[in-house]
Amino acid sequence: MQTADSLLTSYHYDLPEELIAQRPGESRLLVYNAQTDSITHTSFAQITDFLPENVLLVFNQSKVFPSRLIGTKASGGKAELFLLSLTSIDNFYPALIKTRSKKKLEDQFYFPHDLVATIKTINSDGTFMVSFNQDNISDYVHQYAKIPIPPYIRKGESDELDKKNYQTIYAKAEGSVAAPTAGLHFKEEMLKQIDHAFVTLHVGLGTFRPISVANLADHHMHTENYFIDSLNLKKIKSHQNIIAVGTTSLRVLESSVNQEVIADKVYQTNIFLRPGNEIHSIKGLITNFHLPESSLLVLVSALIGREKTLEIYAEAIKERYRFFSYGDAMLILR
């Protein structure tokens, strides 16, 4: 049966463009306590005042790699290649390719310093598998590719400041094409004050690609890889009072809550959390304010309900909170 919760259009809201953060700033924090149904406005620096006792914060320590390559087609027209992973399959790499013309097998694209990419597979989901004429692609992208900030931040044109700003201070395992942005708010001093653990989920299409279907039941998330090392797995398993820092950390915890996870083993998840799904792994969530009709907004709605989520977002807009990746934060306590 189709309900309002299952319709993508039910997750729309209007956001003034000036509330989309273009650079990080001193972050504010909206605290929502579900038990008392209360909202508190404060600064992120005061977050420890609102955390329950004996809480364990779980962070995603995946690191963003430079993945955006700007080049040309054989005809000379502009081409942009967005590398989705530095891990190849039979020397082919997954990528998105943006050009004005239709793309076909064996099309070639040319980038600075003699790099050539060739389309080897066209996938049904709109992605491509490409080969390169150079062996060490990791070295190349670290030298010449751009940090992949979202298009709503300065039209996606990153600069030197973003190399530092669009990365959490604890980022360790490289593999993401988007930052786990809830973690951007944390500074070293804060980590020293809070008991915490780390998981690793490499952010890919599953997290940031828009939902393209009208009914959420028809949406299929792209698969993303995650793992937990032995020290952090032991810490997480022994704790009952967990708050996830970011939606990707929550997706790891919820994907592994009912299975016997082996330390350091790489797992895959395409979990899509939406209203109607019970969430068992956490007592709370620290997250940013997300795009309308996005899987991340739907995930937050799975925690506290769609109507309450949109009510809180309306309050945040009224109070002039800054939205999206470089914006302010919300702490949800269940």
Side-chain angles (χ1 to χ4, degrees):
M1 179 180 171
Q2 203 171 73
T3 64
D5 281 352
S6 68
L7 296 176
L8 179 61
T9 52
S10 298
Y11 297 85
H12 180 79
Y13 67 90
D14 294 317
L15 181 71
E17 189 173 345
E18 67 269 18
L19 295 186
I20 301 174
Q22 299 299 303
R23 298 280 184 186
E26 289 300 316
S27 296
R28 296 166 68 194
L29 178 68
L30 185 154
V31 181
Y32 174 65
N33 188 317
Q35 292 188 16
T36 59
D37 192 27
S38 61
I39 291 174
T40 304
H41 301 291
T42 184
S43 68
F44 196 86
Q46 303 302 314
I47 191 170
T48 53
D49 295 342
F50 296 90
L51 295 176
E53 292 184 5
N54 303 316
V55 73
L56 180 73
L57 266 57
V58 176
F59 297 84
N60 179 10
Q61 65 181 351
S62 184
K63 188 174 185 178
V64 178
F65 69 92
S67 57
R68 188 168 173 254
L69 293 166
I70 308 298
T72 61
K73 301 181 294 183
S75 64
K78 183 179 177 182
E80 179 178 327
L81 188 146
F82 191 97
L83 199 59
L84 293 171
S85 174
L86 289 175
T87 302
S88 66
I89 302 172
D90 297 328
N91 289 319
F92 296 170
Y93 293 82
L96 295 171
I97 301 173
K98 183 179 178 182
T99 63
R100 288 193 173 185
S101 57
K102 188 174 180 180
K103 292 160 281 289
K104 58 185 185 299
L105 290 176
E106 300 301 324
D107 276 355
Q108 292 191 317
F109 306 95
Y110 302 87
F111 302 94
H113 304 281
D114 302 319
L115 181 72
V116 181
T118 304
I119 295 178
K120 292 298 182 182
T121 306
I122 301 175
N123 300 317
S124 59
D125 62 359
T127 64
F128 302 85
M129 299 299 291
V130 301
S131 65
F132 292 102
N133 67 330
Q134 296 183 22
D135 290 333
N136 201 329
I137 290 304
S138 179
D139 282 355
Y140 181 93
V141 298
H142 281 94
Q143 191 164 1
Y144 301 115
K146 293 185 175 185
I147 287 290
I149 62 172
Y152 49 77
I153 298 176
R154 304 188 308 279
K155 298 183 179 179
E157 293 297 330
S158 61
D159 57 24
E160 287 300 308
L161 284 174
D162 294 303
K163 289 181 179 179
K164 177 184 177 183
N165 293 337
Y166 198 63
Q167 198 82 267
T168 62
I169 58 169
Y170 49 79
K172 179 180 179 183
E174 191 171 67
S176 283
V177 294
T181 53
L184 297 178
H185 302 283
F186 285 85
K187 307 212 169 15
E188 289 284 357
E189 316 83 71
M190 300 177 77
L191 291 183
K192 293 174 184 176
Q193 300 172 30
I194 304 169
D195 194 15
H196 60 275
F198 296 104
V199 298
T200 303
L201 179 142
H202 291 317
V203 182
L205 276 179
T207 295
F208 71 83
R209 189 166 239 189
I211 299 174
S212 59
V213 293
N215 191 324
L216 297 182
D218 298 326
H219 178 64
H220 300 286
M221 296 280 282
H222 283 75
T223 297
E224 294 169 313
N225 294 333
Y226 74 89
F227 63 90
I228 311 172
D229 66 37
S230 56
L231 181 65
N232 286 294
L233 182 59
K234 184 178 180 181
K235 200 168 187 179
I236 291 167
K237 281 190 169 183
S238 65
H239 223 288
Q240 300 299 313
N241 199 16
I242 291 175
I243 289 181
V245 179
T247 57
T248 56
S249 298
L250 171 53
R251 292 179 68 233
V252 171
L253 294 168
E254 201 62 23
S255 296
S256 55
V257 69
N258 290 321
Q259 65 171 311
E260 190 61 38
V261 176
I262 299 171
D264 295 308
K265 180 179 177 180
V266 176
Y267 293 88
Q268 294 186 323
T269 182
N270 63 351
I271 191 169
F272 176 39
L273 298 172
R274 58 191 179 95
N277 299 139
E278 281 195 49
I279 294 176
H280 303 281
S281 59
I282 61 166
K283 301 292 186 183
L285 174 69
I286 298 167
T287 188
N288 282 24
F289 294 96
H290 303 294
L291 275 72
E293 300 185 11
S294 64
S295 65
L296 306 180
L297 180 62
V298 173
L299 180 150
V300 174
S301 300
L303 267 179
I304 57 175
R306 177 182 57 85
E307 292 180 350
K308 178 55 66 175
T309 299
L310 293 176
E311 179 187 316
I312 292 170
Y313 271 49
E315 173 80 2
I317 292 169
K318 177 186 171 186
E319 295 293 326
R320 309 294 290 176
Y321 277 72
R322 294 156 57 249
F323 276 58
F324 307 160
S325 297
Y326 278 156
D328 297 318
M330 176 164 63
L331 167 62
I332 298 169
L333 299 171
R334 304 175 74 194

